[in-house]
Amino acid sequence: MLFGRPAHRKNRRLKVTQTRNINKARKAEAGGPRLSPRLSSPVPADMFSVFHPAGGVLLASLGLLVPRLSFASLSVPDIPHIAGYFGTKTRYEEVNPHLLRDPLSADPSVLRPPPAEQCSPVHLTAVIRHGSRYPTLKNIRRIRKLSELVRTEASRASGGSESWLQEIRNRWEAWYTEDMDGQLVMKGRDDLRQLASRLASVFPSLLSEESVRKRRVRFLTSSKHRCVSSVEAFQEGLQRRWGRHDGEPEYSHEVDDELMRFFDRCRGYVEGVENNRTALLEVEKFKHGEEMEGVRRRMADRLGLPHHRLTPDLLEAAFFLCSYELSIKNVHSPWCFLFDESDAKVLEYKSDLKQYWKRSHGHEINSLSSCPLFHHVFRTLDRAGRPRRSTDASPEPASILVGHAETLLPLLSLLGLYKDQTPPTATNYDSQHGRRFRTSLIVPYAANLLFVLYDCQRGPRLQLLVNESPVRFPGLEAEDAPLYRDVRATYRHLLDGCDFHRECEGRAVGRAPNTEL
């Protein structure tokens, strides 16, 4: 039985049509000390700013400025050697490094319907993660605790005299404040603006100005501020592509947590995984295992701290500090030099273990919790691919859905993607270096899952792209864009089943919202 949307659901939606200012975020990002890419000294707060004709300020790295400003004269900034191992806190550019030189460069060749058939795209459904953000409150507190620990207890006689170590001990300040708590940063707005421009370039007929203005393109978002800000930024990106740089941007989107935060409402998931400590046993075992202990002791020695004072959580805070400084301010933080590539791989694996067992293939309920979103996507595709008379209204050309890493991972898992033959565990790290399940590559900031429906001579075809690169459906690997009826046949067991209420046994109640990703 197909999952049906309750008739009263529309009444719970919040219609959003408004403009917002981003002065608070702009001020916060300009306020912290800025380390130069070579760590020598703070640089002016406005070094990375460019003024928009409308008067807005966009904080962007030199490598991420609007690409028509002579890219030949711009060099790619100094990038930490461990930048590709931050899991869900990885920049999108680490997955698509060509964007460092031209963030608006789009590649229409990723669209691969059969060349022997005449095909044209008729619908795009995009499930997108929010852009780069500030640390959440939990990590901000850990960062402050780590900074205070190094400032007060690190031995000046141990460790080394390297400039980065002196920078951490004497000059680096924990500038993150609790009111930042997971909010979208200016780089995060750029992530979505640029993605919108690239998608409009690849799909000009689906994301046209006329379709968006006539509200034929649907925008849905999670209620979290970083997602609302992201869907706004996506619309800004479309409007800028059309040359609309004057006046306030226009926004029109709906908040729908039942679709974009389904995990909060799945009792089976909340009780069986989220609040069940044994569900993440592999993560806990690895957290205190040989590989992590080795990294923790080396980091404590480098910082001049007693081993017992640098906990696994503070070790991870130091690792992610490198990520935050890069994704927020585009600087090569001194914290990055604490870790070599082997250290980073261990910490990435710890993060992947958590996501695998908490959000992905580790437990069946993880993927089944995404049944509402799965059915929504296929109902939308069904409507777009249905034969219609000339008098019928045209289907919506595009549907843009903005959520979280924990929105994307269960859906990707339900589709059967990124599933390794041998699951990652606390004891098989050495055999997992070639694993498919690497969240750094799957769900960085601004990650996206694109369903592209084509009208072809033999019937509708469907292509899947992850982070703007073609990915083939499991069981249909012979073609990039198999017939839509074959895709439906492959997922028939889910289309006929995957009932949210049966799988989840009602909604979660009395639980604090998850703010991790």
PDB file of all heavy atoms in Angstrom, residues 457-470:
ATOM      1  N   GLN A 457      11.687   8.340 -26.547  1.00  0.00           N
ATOM      2  CA  GLN A 457      10.874   7.651 -27.549  1.00  0.00           C
ATOM      3  C   GLN A 457      10.267   6.364 -27.014  1.00  0.00           C
ATOM      4  O   GLN A 457       9.133   6.022 -27.325  1.00  0.00           O
ATOM      5  CB  GLN A 457      11.743   7.357 -28.784  1.00  0.00           C
ATOM      6  CG  GLN A 457      12.098   8.606 -29.593  1.00  0.00           C
ATOM      7  CD  GLN A 457      13.106   8.305 -30.679  1.00  0.00           C
ATOM      8  OE1 GLN A 457      14.137   7.688 -30.439  1.00  0.00           O
ATOM      9  NE2 GLN A 457      12.792   8.736 -31.904  1.00  0.00           N
ATOM     10  N   ARG A 458      11.007   5.631 -26.209  1.00  0.00           N
ATOM     11  CA  ARG A 458      10.518   4.356 -25.671  1.00  0.00           C
ATOM     12  C   ARG A 458       9.739   4.523 -24.377  1.00  0.00           C
ATOM     13  O   ARG A 458       9.276   3.540 -23.798  1.00  0.00           O
ATOM     14  CB  ARG A 458      11.692   3.404 -25.437  1.00  0.00           C
ATOM     15  CG  ARG A 458      12.371   2.904 -26.714  1.00  0.00           C
ATOM     16  CD  ARG A 458      13.455   1.913 -26.371  1.00  0.00           C
ATOM     17  NE  ARG A 458      12.939   0.783 -25.584  1.00  0.00           N
ATOM     18  CZ  ARG A 458      13.689  -0.010 -24.826  1.00  0.00           C
ATOM     19  NH1 ARG A 458      15.007   0.208 -24.732  1.00  0.00           N
ATOM     20  NH2 ARG A 458      13.152  -1.019 -24.162  1.00  0.00           N
ATOM     21  N   GLY A 459       9.587   5.741 -23.926  1.00  0.00           N
ATOM     22  CA  GLY A 459       8.888   6.000 -22.676  1.00  0.00           C
ATOM     23  C   GLY A 459       9.756   6.768 -21.708  1.00  0.00           C
ATOM     24  O   GLY A 459      10.941   7.027 -21.971  1.00  0.00           O
ATOM     25  N   PRO A 460       9.212   7.176 -20.574  1.00  0.00           N
ATOM     26  CA  PRO A 460       9.983   7.960 -19.601  1.00  0.00           C
ATOM     27  C   PRO A 460      11.198   7.184 -19.090  1.00  0.00           C
ATOM     28  O   PRO A 460      11.143   5.971 -18.882  1.00  0.00           O
ATOM     29  CB  PRO A 460       8.977   8.210 -18.469  1.00  0.00           C
ATOM     30  CG  PRO A 460       7.637   8.004 -19.075  1.00  0.00           C
ATOM     31  CD  PRO A 460       7.817   6.964 -20.138  1.00  0.00           C
ATOM     32  N   ARG A 461      12.277   7.914 -18.866  1.00  0.00           N
ATOM     33  CA  ARG A 461      13.490   7.350 -18.284  1.00  0.00           C
ATOM     34  C   ARG A 461      13.895   8.187 -17.076  1.00  0.00           C
ATOM     35  O   ARG A 461      13.585   9.384 -17.007  1.00  0.00           O
ATOM     36  CB  ARG A 461      14.633   7.312 -19.308  1.00  0.00           C
ATOM     37  CG  ARG A 461      14.434   6.295 -20.427  1.00  0.00           C
ATOM     38  CD  ARG A 461      15.626   6.275 -21.391  1.00  0.00           C
ATOM     39  NE  ARG A 461      15.487   5.229 -22.404  1.00  0.00           N
ATOM     40  CZ  ARG A 461      15.893   3.977 -22.258  1.00  0.00           C
ATOM     41  NH1 ARG A 461      16.493   3.613 -21.118  1.00  0.00           N
ATOM     42  NH2 ARG A 461      15.727   3.096 -23.219  1.00  0.00           N
ATOM     43  N   LEU A 462      14.596   7.540 -16.148  1.00  0.00           N
ATOM     44  CA  LEU A 462      14.987   8.230 -14.914  1.00  0.00           C
ATOM     45  C   LEU A 462      16.486   8.085 -14.692  1.00  0.00           C
ATOM     46  O   LEU A 462      17.034   6.983 -14.783  1.00  0.00           O
ATOM     47  CB  LEU A 462      14.238   7.660 -13.705  1.00  0.00           C
ATOM     48  CG  LEU A 462      14.450   8.384 -12.368  1.00  0.00           C
ATOM     49  CD1 LEU A 462      13.875   9.792 -12.413  1.00  0.00           C
ATOM     50  CD2 LEU A 462      13.805   7.596 -11.222  1.00  0.00           C
ATOM     51  N   GLN A 463      17.145   9.207 -14.414  1.00  0.00           N
ATOM     52  CA  GLN A 463      18.566   9.194 -14.086  1.00  0.00           C
ATOM     53  C   GLN A 463      18.774   9.737 -12.686  1.00  0.00           C
ATOM     54  O   GLN A 463      18.072  10.642 -12.237  1.00  0.00           O
ATOM     55  CB  GLN A 463      19.376  10.031 -15.085  1.00  0.00           C
ATOM     56  CG  GLN A 463      20.881   9.969 -14.824  1.00  0.00           C
ATOM     57  CD  GLN A 463      21.705  10.808 -15.787  1.00  0.00           C
ATOM     58  OE1 GLN A 463      21.179  11.348 -16.767  1.00  0.00           O
ATOM     59  NE2 GLN A 463      22.989  10.933 -15.514  1.00  0.00           N
ATOM     60  N   LEU A 464      19.756   9.171 -12.008  1.00  0.00           N
ATOM     61  CA  LEU A 464      20.096   9.567 -10.652  1.00  0.00           C
ATOM     62  C   LEU A 464      21.471  10.220 -10.658  1.00  0.00           C
ATOM     63  O   LEU A 464      22.405   9.738 -11.303  1.00  0.00           O
ATOM     64  CB  LEU A 464      20.121   8.318  -9.762  1.00  0.00           C
ATOM     65  CG  LEU A 464      19.977   8.465  -8.254  1.00  0.00           C
ATOM     66  CD1 LEU A 464      18.623   9.083  -7.902  1.00  0.00           C
ATOM     67  CD2 LEU A 464      20.106   7.087  -7.595  1.00  0.00           C
ATOM     68  N   LEU A 465      21.584  11.338  -9.947  1.00  0.00           N
ATOM     69  CA  LEU A 465      22.878  11.984  -9.752  1.00  0.00           C
ATOM     70  C   LEU A 465      23.065  12.266  -8.275  1.00  0.00           C
ATOM     71  O   LEU A 465      22.112  12.663  -7.583  1.00  0.00           O
ATOM     72  CB  LEU A 465      22.999  13.294 -10.541  1.00  0.00           C
ATOM     73  CG  LEU A 465      22.952  13.206 -12.065  1.00  0.00           C
ATOM     74  CD1 LEU A 465      21.538  13.469 -12.574  1.00  0.00           C
ATOM     75  CD2 LEU A 465      23.922  14.206 -12.697  1.00  0.00           C
ATOM     76  N   VAL A 466      24.263  12.046  -7.781  1.00  0.00           N
ATOM     77  CA  VAL A 466      24.613  12.385  -6.407  1.00  0.00           C
ATOM     78  C   VAL A 466      25.738  13.402  -6.461  1.00  0.00           C
ATOM     79  O   VAL A 466      26.782  13.155  -7.066  1.00  0.00           O
ATOM     80  CB  VAL A 466      25.040  11.144  -5.602  1.00  0.00           C
ATOM     81  CG1 VAL A 466      25.514  11.551  -4.209  1.00  0.00           C
ATOM     82  CG2 VAL A 466      23.884  10.145  -5.497  1.00  0.00           C
ATOM     83  N   ASN A 467      25.502  14.550  -5.875  1.00  0.00           N
ATOM     84  CA  ASN A 467      26.476  15.642  -5.897  1.00  0.00           C
ATOM     85  C   ASN A 467      26.894  15.976  -7.325  1.00  0.00           C
ATOM     86  O   ASN A 467      28.076  16.190  -7.629  1.00  0.00           O
ATOM     87  CB  ASN A 467      27.678  15.306  -5.015  1.00  0.00           C
ATOM     88  CG  ASN A 467      27.275  15.099  -3.574  1.00  0.00           C
ATOM     89  OD1 ASN A 467      26.338  15.728  -3.081  1.00  0.00           O
ATOM     90  ND2 ASN A 467      27.949  14.195  -2.881  1.00  0.00           N
ATOM     91  N   GLU A 468      25.889  15.994  -8.201  1.00  0.00           N
ATOM     92  CA  GLU A 468      26.007  16.395  -9.600  1.00  0.00           C
ATOM     93  C   GLU A 468      26.808  15.410 -10.459  1.00  0.00           C
ATOM     94  O   GLU A 468      27.232  15.758 -11.559  1.00  0.00           O
ATOM     95  CB  GLU A 468      26.610  17.805  -9.707  1.00  0.00           C
ATOM     96  CG  GLU A 468      25.788  18.872  -8.991  1.00  0.00           C
ATOM     97  CD  GLU A 468      26.464  20.221  -8.983  1.00  0.00           C
ATOM     98  OE1 GLU A 468      26.433  20.920 -10.017  1.00  0.00           O
ATOM     99  OE2 GLU A 468      27.041  20.576  -7.920  1.00  0.00           O
ATOM    100  N   SER A 469      26.994  14.182  -9.966  1.00  0.00           N
ATOM    101  CA  SER A 469      27.676  13.147 -10.737  1.00  0.00           C
ATOM    102  C   SER A 469      26.744  11.953 -10.920  1.00  0.00           C
ATOM    103  O   SER A 469      26.034  11.575  -9.976  1.00  0.00           O
ATOM    104  CB  SER A 469      28.955  12.687 -10.028  1.00  0.00           C
ATOM    105  OG  SER A 469      29.897  13.735  -9.983  1.00  0.00           O
ATOM    106  N   PRO A 470      26.736  11.343 -12.111  1.00  0.00           N
ATOM    107  CA  PRO A 470      25.826  10.219 -12.365  1.00  0.00           C
ATOM    108  C   PRO A 470      26.117   9.027 -11.453  1.00  0.00           C
ATOM    109  O   PRO A 470      27.273   8.676 -11.202  1.00  0.00           O
ATOM    110  CB  PRO A 470      26.120   9.858 -13.830  1.00  0.00           C
ATOM    111  CG  PRO A 470      26.739  11.077 -14.422  1.00  0.00           C
ATOM    112  CD  PRO A 470      27.514  11.715 -13.309  1.00  0.00           C
TER     113      PRO A 470
END
